[in-house]
Amino acid sequence: STDEVHGASAELAVHPDHRRCGIGHQLVESLIGATAHERLRLWAHGEQAVAAAALARSFDFTHSRVLWQMRRSLLAPLPDVVLPDGISMRTFVPGADDAPWLELNGRAFAGHPEQGEWTMVDLHQRMSEPWFSPSGFLLANDDATGALIGFHWTKVHGRHNSHGHEAIGEVYVVGVDPAWSGHGLGRALTVAGLQHLRSLGLGQAMLYVDATNTAAIRLYESLGFSRWDTDVMYLLTPNPCS
């Protein structure tokens, strides 16, 4: 896929029975040829994949981003939802909440390499996906002003198509207005979303978080999540002289 800002991206995988035959090398060469003169982001799933790291280095890719996948059981106890005073929670209303949510998302993720630059098109693309459910898109409102100040967008994998595994819930995105940082709102929204996922009969929840986001990792660990796997993004920047 290609992002107008960040360039092309790809995920590379070779069947275990056909590794060490040069297939990965050929695939990367083809990707570089197809994306000449633009940035190429290559995702490798599982940081422990030494062969993937060596292959990336051989083509002068740089180690750019690390995502942790974290998981927790939804069968284990969950804490109560404790909202700050003067804050209420409700579900997303398509149409009415689109623009206010987009503004909040931009504030909450200012400077984020992907999430903070969402447009209305990006939002509506997700809303058109079969997994989208307004009941799993939780919003926090400031009762005094009516303004949106936080959200937890949940997702369910494996119910609408075959993923080869039992359905699992995801903490898709949690965002809080910077003005409300430090009030426990992110924790309350996360717990509320987990309770919603458990109410659907799901047994597991997962999430992705940047390895550098230590504050978020501490929050998720305090809620029973632990590191499950690691995904690494490698970046190839074109030589302007080539």
Side-chain angles (χ1 to χ4, degrees), residues 2 14 38-39 66 114 127 153 163 198 229:
T2 299
V14 177
E38 65 176 304
R39 285 154 50 102
V66 179
E114 296 173 356
M127 291 171 63
W153 192 348
H163 284 211
R198 185 169 65 180
D229 204 353

Side-chain angles (χ1 to χ4, degrees), residues 107-122:
R107 294 194 303 274
F109 291 96
H112 190 277
E114 296 173 356
Q115 186 70 28
E117 298 177 0
W118 273 32
T119 65
M120 192 67 75
V121 172
D122 296 319

Side-chain angles (χ1 to χ4, degrees), residues 23-194:
I23 295 175
H25 193 279
Q26 293 176 27
L27 287 171
V28 175
E29 280 189 331
S30 297
L31 287 168
I32 293 173
T35 59
H37 311 300
E38 65 176 304
R39 285 154 50 102
L40 173 60
R41 295 166 296 152
L42 187 62
W43 281 102
H45 300 291
E47 190 175 18
Q48 69 275 14
V50 177
L55 179 62
R57 287 194 299 269
S58 73
F59 282 98
D60 294 324
F61 280 82
T62 57
H63 192 278
S64 177
R65 190 179 176 196
V66 179
L67 286 182
W68 281 16
Q69 182 186 147
M70 303 184 76
R71 294 195 182 191
R72 69 120 47 212
S73 170
L74 291 174
L75 304 179
L78 285 167
D80 294 330
V81 176
V82 181
L83 288 169
D85 292 339
I87 304 303
S88 58
M89 192 179 302
R90 61 180 178 84
T91 57
F92 183 87
V93 179
D97 287 324
D98 299 18
W101 177 83
L102 205 58
E103 293 175 4
L104 170 59
N105 183 69
R107 294 194 303 274
F109 291 96
H112 190 277
E114 296 173 356
Q115 186 70 28
E117 298 177 0
W118 273 32
T119 65
M120 192 67 75
V121 172
D122 296 319
L123 173 60
H124 287 167
Q125 284 178 341
R126 272 68 172 188
M127 291 171 63
S128 68
E129 294 285 346
W131 53 260
F132 176 73
S133 171
S135 65
F137 196 164
L138 308 179
L139 304 180
N141 279 88
D142 181 345
D143 294 337
T145 64
L148 292 182
I149 60 171
F151 65 92
H152 181 180
W153 192 348
T154 68
K155 184 176 182 179
V156 179
H157 295 272
R159 280 199 165 171
H160 298 284
N161 50 59
S162 177
H163 284 211
H165 60 70
E166 184 178 345
I168 183 172
E170 180 180 351
V171 177
Y172 185 40
V173 196
V174 177
V176 173
D177 189 309
W180 282 87
S181 177
H183 288 75
L185 184 56
R187 181 183 182 87
L189 284 162
T190 302
V191 173
L194 292 174

Side-chain angles (χ1 to χ4, degrees), residues 24 88 197 233:
S88 58
L197 293 171
M233 185 179 78

